[in-house]
Short mmCIF file of all heavy atoms in Angstrom, two decimals:
data_model
loop_
_atom_site.label_atom_id
_atom_site.label_comp_id
_atom_site.label_asym_id
_atom_site.label_seq_id
_atom_site.Cartn_x
_atom_site.Cartn_y
_atom_site.Cartn_z
N MET A 201 13.94 51.17 25.59
CA MET A 201 14.08 51.18 27.04
C MET A 201 14.94 52.38 27.44
O MET A 201 15.97 52.65 26.83
CB MET A 201 14.77 49.87 27.45
CG MET A 201 14.72 49.60 28.90
SD MET A 201 13.10 48.96 29.18
CE MET A 201 13.11 48.66 30.86
N LEU A 202 14.47 53.07 28.45
CA LEU A 202 15.23 54.23 28.95
C LEU A 202 16.02 53.83 30.19
O LEU A 202 15.56 53.04 31.00
CB LEU A 202 14.26 55.35 29.35
CG LEU A 202 13.44 55.98 28.24
CD1 LEU A 202 12.43 56.94 28.84
CD2 LEU A 202 14.33 56.70 27.26
N ASP A 203 17.21 54.42 30.31
CA ASP A 203 17.94 54.19 31.55
C ASP A 203 17.31 55.04 32.65
O ASP A 203 16.47 55.91 32.39
CB ASP A 203 19.44 54.48 31.38
CG ASP A 203 19.73 55.91 30.96
OD1 ASP A 203 19.05 56.83 31.45
OD2 ASP A 203 20.66 56.10 30.16
N ASP A 204 17.69 54.80 33.88
CA ASP A 204 17.07 55.49 35.02
C ASP A 204 17.24 57.01 34.94
O ASP A 204 16.31 57.76 35.27
CB ASP A 204 17.65 54.97 36.34
CG ASP A 204 17.19 53.57 36.65
OD1 ASP A 204 16.16 53.12 36.10
OD2 ASP A 204 17.87 52.90 37.46
N ALA A 205 18.40 57.47 34.53
CA ALA A 205 18.65 58.91 34.44
C ALA A 205 17.75 59.55 33.40
O ALA A 205 17.18 60.64 33.63
CB ALA A 205 20.12 59.17 34.13
N SER A 206 17.58 58.90 32.26
CA SER A 206 16.73 59.45 31.20
C SER A 206 15.26 59.46 31.63
O SER A 206 14.54 60.44 31.40
CB SER A 206 16.88 58.65 29.91
OG SER A 206 18.19 58.77 29.40
N ALA A 207 14.83 58.38 32.25
CA ALA A 207 13.44 58.31 32.73
C ALA A 207 13.19 59.39 33.78
O ALA A 207 12.13 60.05 33.76
CB ALA A 207 13.15 56.93 33.29
N SER A 208 14.13 59.61 34.66
CA SER A 208 13.99 60.66 35.68
C SER A 208 13.92 62.04 35.04
O SER A 208 13.12 62.88 35.46
CB SER A 208 15.15 60.61 36.67
OG SER A 208 15.11 59.44 37.43
N ALA A 209 14.73 62.26 34.02
CA ALA A 209 14.72 63.55 33.33
C ALA A 209 13.38 63.78 32.63
O ALA A 209 12.84 64.90 32.67
CB ALA A 209 15.87 63.60 32.32
N ILE A 210 12.82 62.75 32.03
CA ILE A 210 11.54 62.90 31.35
C ILE A 210 10.42 63.12 32.37
O ILE A 210 9.54 63.97 32.15
CB ILE A 210 11.25 61.67 30.46
CG1 ILE A 210 12.25 61.67 29.30
CG2 ILE A 210 9.81 61.70 29.93
CD1 ILE A 210 12.26 60.41 28.50
N ARG A 211 10.45 62.40 33.48
CA ARG A 211 9.45 62.63 34.54
C ARG A 211 9.53 64.06 35.04
O ARG A 211 8.49 64.71 35.26
CB ARG A 211 9.64 61.65 35.69
CG ARG A 211 9.02 60.29 35.43
CD ARG A 211 8.96 59.43 36.69
NE ARG A 211 10.29 59.08 37.19
CZ ARG A 211 10.99 58.04 36.78
NH1 ARG A 211 10.51 57.23 35.87
NH2 ARG A 211 12.18 57.81 37.29
N LEU A 212 10.73 64.59 35.23
CA LEU A 212 10.90 65.96 35.68
C LEU A 212 10.34 66.94 34.64
O LEU A 212 9.61 67.88 34.99
CB LEU A 212 12.38 66.26 35.95
CG LEU A 212 12.70 67.69 36.37
CD1 LEU A 212 12.03 68.03 37.70
CD2 LEU A 212 14.20 67.89 36.48
N MET A 213 10.66 66.71 33.37
CA MET A 213 10.15 67.57 32.31
C MET A 213 8.62 67.56 32.31
O MET A 213 7.99 68.62 32.25
CB MET A 213 10.66 67.11 30.94
CG MET A 213 10.11 67.94 29.79
SD MET A 213 10.24 67.14 28.18
CE MET A 213 9.07 65.82 28.32
N LEU A 214 8.03 66.38 32.39
CA LEU A 214 6.58 66.28 32.39
C LEU A 214 5.97 66.98 33.58
O LEU A 214 4.89 67.58 33.47
CB LEU A 214 6.15 64.81 32.34
CG LEU A 214 6.45 64.06 31.05
CD1 LEU A 214 6.21 62.56 31.23
CD2 LEU A 214 5.62 64.60 29.89
N SER A 215 6.64 66.94 34.72
CA SER A 215 6.11 67.59 35.92
C SER A 215 6.09 69.11 35.79
O SER A 215 5.31 69.79 36.46
CB SER A 215 6.90 67.17 37.16
OG SER A 215 8.16 67.80 37.20
N LYS A 216 6.93 69.65 34.93
CA LYS A 216 7.02 71.10 34.73
C LYS A 216 6.03 71.61 33.68
O LYS A 216 5.78 72.80 33.59
CB LYS A 216 8.44 71.51 34.29
CG LYS A 216 9.54 71.07 35.21
CD LYS A 216 9.60 71.94 36.42
CE LYS A 216 10.80 71.53 37.27
NZ LYS A 216 10.81 72.21 38.54
N LEU A 217 5.46 70.69 32.88
CA LEU A 217 4.56 71.08 31.80
C LEU A 217 3.14 71.28 32.29
O LEU A 217 2.72 70.66 33.27
CB LEU A 217 4.56 70.01 30.71
CG LEU A 217 5.86 69.79 29.94
CD1 LEU A 217 5.70 68.62 28.97
CD2 LEU A 217 6.28 71.05 29.20
N ASP A 218 2.40 72.13 31.59
CA ASP A 218 0.97 72.28 31.82
C ASP A 218 0.26 71.00 31.38
O ASP A 218 0.80 70.23 30.57
CB ASP A 218 0.40 73.46 31.03
CG ASP A 218 0.91 74.80 31.53
OD1 ASP A 218 1.22 74.91 32.73
OD2 ASP A 218 1.01 75.72 30.70
N ASP A 219 -0.95 70.80 31.89
CA ASP A 219 -1.72 69.59 31.55
C ASP A 219 -1.85 69.40 30.04
O ASP A 219 -1.67 68.30 29.52
CB ASP A 219 -3.11 69.65 32.18
CG ASP A 219 -3.08 69.50 33.70
OD1 ASP A 219 -1.98 69.24 34.26
OD2 ASP A 219 -4.14 69.65 34.32
N HIS A 220 -2.17 70.48 29.34
CA HIS A 220 -2.34 70.40 27.88
C HIS A 220 -1.06 69.90 27.21
O HIS A 220 -1.12 69.11 26.26
CB HIS A 220 -2.75 71.77 27.33
CG HIS A 220 -2.73 71.85 25.85
ND1 HIS A 220 -3.68 71.25 25.06
CD2 HIS A 220 -1.87 72.44 24.98
CE1 HIS A 220 -3.41 71.46 23.79
NE2 HIS A 220 -2.31 72.20 23.71
N ASP A 221 0.08 70.37 27.69
CA ASP A 221 1.35 69.99 27.08
C ASP A 221 1.72 68.54 27.38
O ASP A 221 2.33 67.88 26.53
CB ASP A 221 2.46 70.94 27.54
CG ASP A 221 2.22 72.36 27.04
OD1 ASP A 221 1.67 72.53 25.94
OD2 ASP A 221 2.57 73.31 27.77
N VAL A 222 1.36 68.04 28.54
CA VAL A 222 1.59 66.63 28.86
C VAL A 222 0.78 65.76 27.89
O VAL A 222 1.29 64.78 27.34
CB VAL A 222 1.23 66.30 30.32
CG1 VAL A 222 1.33 64.81 30.59
CG2 VAL A 222 2.15 67.06 31.28
N ALA A 223 -0.47 66.15 27.67
CA ALA A 223 -1.32 65.42 26.72
C ALA A 223 -0.73 65.50 25.30
O ALA A 223 -0.76 64.51 24.56
CB ALA A 223 -2.74 65.97 26.74
N ALA A 224 -0.16 66.64 24.95
CA ALA A 224 0.46 66.80 23.63
C ALA A 224 1.66 65.86 23.48
O ALA A 224 1.85 65.27 22.41
CB ALA A 224 0.87 68.24 23.40
N VAL A 225 2.47 65.73 24.51
CA VAL A 225 3.61 64.79 24.47
C VAL A 225 3.08 63.38 24.24
O VAL A 225 3.59 62.65 23.39
CB VAL A 225 4.44 64.87 25.76
CG1 VAL A 225 5.46 63.73 25.82
CG2 VAL A 225 5.15 66.22 25.87
N PHE A 226 2.06 63.00 24.99
CA PHE A 226 1.47 61.66 24.84
C PHE A 226 1.00 61.44 23.40
O PHE A 226 1.27 60.39 22.82
CB PHE A 226 0.30 61.51 25.82
CG PHE A 226 -0.38 60.18 25.74
CD1 PHE A 226 0.17 59.07 26.37
CD2 PHE A 226 -1.57 60.02 25.04
CE1 PHE A 226 -0.46 57.83 26.30
CE2 PHE A 226 -2.20 58.80 24.97
CZ PHE A 226 -1.63 57.70 25.59
N GLU A 227 0.33 62.43 22.83
CA GLU A 227 -0.17 62.29 21.47
C GLU A 227 0.96 62.27 20.44
O GLU A 227 0.89 61.54 19.46
CB GLU A 227 -1.15 63.42 21.15
CG GLU A 227 -2.46 63.28 21.92
CD GLU A 227 -3.42 64.42 21.69
OE1 GLU A 227 -2.99 65.48 21.18
OE2 GLU A 227 -4.60 64.25 22.02
N MET A 228 2.01 63.07 20.67
CA MET A 228 3.13 63.11 19.72
C MET A 228 3.83 61.77 19.58
O MET A 228 4.29 61.43 18.49
CB MET A 228 4.15 64.17 20.14
CG MET A 228 3.79 65.56 19.73
SD MET A 228 5.14 66.70 20.01
CE MET A 228 4.60 67.44 21.52
N VAL A 229 3.93 61.03 20.68
CA VAL A 229 4.60 59.73 20.60
C VAL A 229 3.62 58.61 20.33
O VAL A 229 3.98 57.43 20.35
CB VAL A 229 5.43 59.44 21.89
CG1 VAL A 229 6.53 60.47 22.07
CG2 VAL A 229 4.56 59.33 23.11
N GLY A 230 2.38 58.98 20.07
CA GLY A 230 1.36 57.97 19.75
C GLY A 230 0.96 57.13 20.94
O GLY A 230 0.38 56.06 20.77
N GLY A 231 1.28 57.59 22.15
CA GLY A 231 0.92 56.85 23.35
C GLY A 231 1.69 55.55 23.52
O GLY A 231 1.28 54.70 24.30
N THR A 232 2.78 55.40 22.79
CA THR A 232 3.53 54.14 22.84
C THR A 232 4.97 54.38 23.28
O THR A 232 5.46 55.50 23.27
CB THR A 232 3.55 53.45 21.46
OG1 THR A 232 4.18 54.30 20.52
CG2 THR A 232 2.13 53.12 21.00
N GLY A 233 5.61 53.30 23.63
CA GLY A 233 7.02 53.36 24.01
C GLY A 233 7.21 53.90 25.42
O GLY A 233 6.25 54.22 26.12
N PRO A 234 8.44 53.99 25.83
CA PRO A 234 8.73 54.40 27.21
C PRO A 234 8.30 55.84 27.51
O PRO A 234 7.83 56.12 28.61
CB PRO A 234 10.23 54.22 27.36
CG PRO A 234 10.78 54.13 25.97
CD PRO A 234 9.67 53.62 25.10
N ILE A 235 8.42 56.73 26.54
CA ILE A 235 7.98 58.11 26.78
C ILE A 235 6.46 58.16 26.86
O ILE A 235 5.89 58.86 27.71
CB ILE A 235 8.55 59.06 25.71
CG1 ILE A 235 10.08 59.09 25.82
CG2 ILE A 235 7.94 60.46 25.86
CD1 ILE A 235 10.76 59.86 24.72
N GLY A 236 5.80 57.41 26.01
CA GLY A 236 4.34 57.33 26.08
C GLY A 236 3.88 56.76 27.41
O GLY A 236 2.89 57.23 27.98
N ASP A 237 4.58 55.76 27.90
CA ASP A 237 4.23 55.18 29.21
C ASP A 237 4.39 56.20 30.33
O ASP A 237 3.53 56.30 31.22
CB ASP A 237 5.11 53.96 29.51
CG ASP A 237 4.84 52.79 28.58
OD1 ASP A 237 3.78 52.77 27.91
OD2 ASP A 237 5.69 51.89 28.53
N LEU A 238 5.48 56.97 30.30
CA LEU A 238 5.70 57.98 31.33
C LEU A 238 4.67 59.10 31.23
O LEU A 238 4.18 59.58 32.25
CB LEU A 238 7.13 58.54 31.23
CG LEU A 238 8.25 57.58 31.60
CD1 LEU A 238 9.60 58.18 31.25
CD2 LEU A 238 8.19 57.23 33.07
N ALA A 239 4.35 59.49 30.01
CA ALA A 239 3.33 60.54 29.82
C ALA A 239 1.96 60.03 30.29
O ALA A 239 1.21 60.78 30.92
CB ALA A 239 3.27 60.98 28.37
N ALA A 240 1.64 58.78 29.99
CA ALA A 240 0.37 58.20 30.42
C ALA A 240 0.27 58.17 31.93
O ALA A 240 -0.77 58.49 32.51
CB ALA A 240 0.20 56.80 29.84
N LYS A 241 1.36 57.81 32.59
CA LYS A 241 1.38 57.79 34.06
C LYS A 241 1.19 59.19 34.62
O LYS A 241 0.43 59.40 35.56
CB LYS A 241 2.65 57.17 34.59
CG LYS A 241 2.67 57.11 36.11
CD LYS A 241 3.77 56.28 36.67
CE LYS A 241 3.82 56.20 38.17
NZ LYS A 241 2.91 56.97 38.95
N ALA A 242 1.86 60.17 34.00
CA ALA A 242 1.71 61.56 34.45
C ALA A 242 0.27 62.02 34.26
O ALA A 242 -0.30 62.70 35.12
CB ALA A 242 2.67 62.47 33.69
N MET A 243 -0.34 61.63 33.13
CA MET A 243 -1.73 62.01 32.89
C MET A 243 -2.65 61.36 33.91
O MET A 243 -3.58 62.01 34.42
CB MET A 243 -2.13 61.61 31.47
CG MET A 243 -1.45 62.44 30.40
SD MET A 243 -1.77 61.86 28.73
CE MET A 243 -3.53 62.13 28.61
N LYS A 244 -2.41 60.11 34.21
CA LYS A 244 -3.24 59.41 35.21
C LYS A 244 -3.07 60.05 36.59
O LYS A 244 -4.06 60.32 37.27
CB LYS A 244 -2.86 57.94 35.26
CG LYS A 244 -3.71 57.14 36.21
CD LYS A 244 -3.33 55.67 36.22
CE LYS A 244 -4.17 54.94 37.24
NZ LYS A 244 -3.77 53.56 37.36
N ASP A 245 -1.84 60.32 36.98
CA ASP A 245 -1.56 60.92 38.28
C ASP A 245 -2.19 62.31 38.43
O ASP A 245 -2.59 62.70 39.51
CB ASP A 245 -0.05 61.01 38.54
CG ASP A 245 0.61 59.66 38.71
OD1 ASP A 245 -0.09 58.65 38.89
OD2 ASP A 245 1.87 59.62 38.65
N ARG A 246 -2.25 63.03 37.30
CA ARG A 246 -2.78 64.40 37.33
C ARG A 246 -4.24 64.47 36.86
O ARG A 246 -4.80 65.55 36.76
CB ARG A 246 -1.90 65.31 36.45
CG ARG A 246 -0.52 65.47 37.04
CD ARG A 246 0.51 66.04 36.09
NE ARG A 246 0.18 67.36 35.60
CZ ARG A 246 1.01 68.09 34.87
NH1 ARG A 246 2.22 67.63 34.57
NH2 ARG A 246 0.66 69.28 34.45
N ASN A 247 -4.84 63.31 36.59
CA ASN A 247 -6.22 63.22 36.16
C ASN A 247 -6.48 64.05 34.90
O ASN A 247 -7.42 64.85 34.84
CB ASN A 247 -7.17 63.63 37.30
CG ASN A 247 -8.58 63.13 37.07
OD1 ASN A 247 -8.78 62.13 36.40
ND2 ASN A 247 -9.54 63.83 37.63
N ILE A 248 -5.63 63.85 33.90
CA ILE A 248 -5.73 64.57 32.63
C ILE A 248 -6.43 63.65 31.62
O ILE A 248 -6.02 62.52 31.42
CB ILE A 248 -4.34 64.96 32.09
CG1 ILE A 248 -3.59 65.83 33.08
CG2 ILE A 248 -4.47 65.62 30.73
CD1 ILE A 248 -2.12 66.03 32.72
N ASP A 249 -7.49 64.15 31.01
CA ASP A 249 -8.18 63.43 29.95
C ASP A 249 -7.78 64.00 28.60
O ASP A 249 -7.50 65.18 28.48
CB ASP A 249 -9.69 63.55 30.10
CG ASP A 249 -10.21 62.83 31.34
OD1 ASP A 249 -9.64 61.78 31.70
OD2 ASP A 249 -11.18 63.33 31.94
N LEU A 250 -7.80 63.13 27.59
CA LEU A 250 -7.54 63.61 26.21
C LEU A 250 -8.77 64.25 25.65
O LEU A 250 -9.85 63.99 25.94
CB LEU A 250 -7.11 62.45 25.31
CG LEU A 250 -5.71 61.91 25.55
CD1 LEU A 250 -5.45 60.72 24.65
CD2 LEU A 250 -4.69 62.98 25.30
#
């Protein structure tokens, strides 16, 4: 579980990345856990397919 500050920092980082890099983050964490959830949401919001 991430605290609010950490989740906000990760969302900000993901917003600065190119689509390919957001997908790479998702794949690196195996699409699981809180970072995977945030990356999946970013991918959905930006309409990024794997």
Side-chain angles (χ1 to χ4, degrees):
M201 193 80 180
L202 295 173
D203 60 38
D204 290 339
S206 295
S208 293
I210 292 168
R211 278 191 295 274
L212 177 64
M213 177 199 69
L214 291 170
S215 75
K216 304 283 184 188
L217 295 176
D218 292 331
D219 290 354
H220 171 73
D221 295 327
V222 173
V225 169
F226 180 80
E227 290 177 344
M228 277 189 260
V229 298
T232 61
I235 296 173
D237 293 343
L238 291 171
K241 181 169 180 356
M243 290 173 65
K244 182 179 178 184
D245 292 346
R246 293 165 61 173
N247 199 26
I248 301 169
D249 292 326
L250 288 177

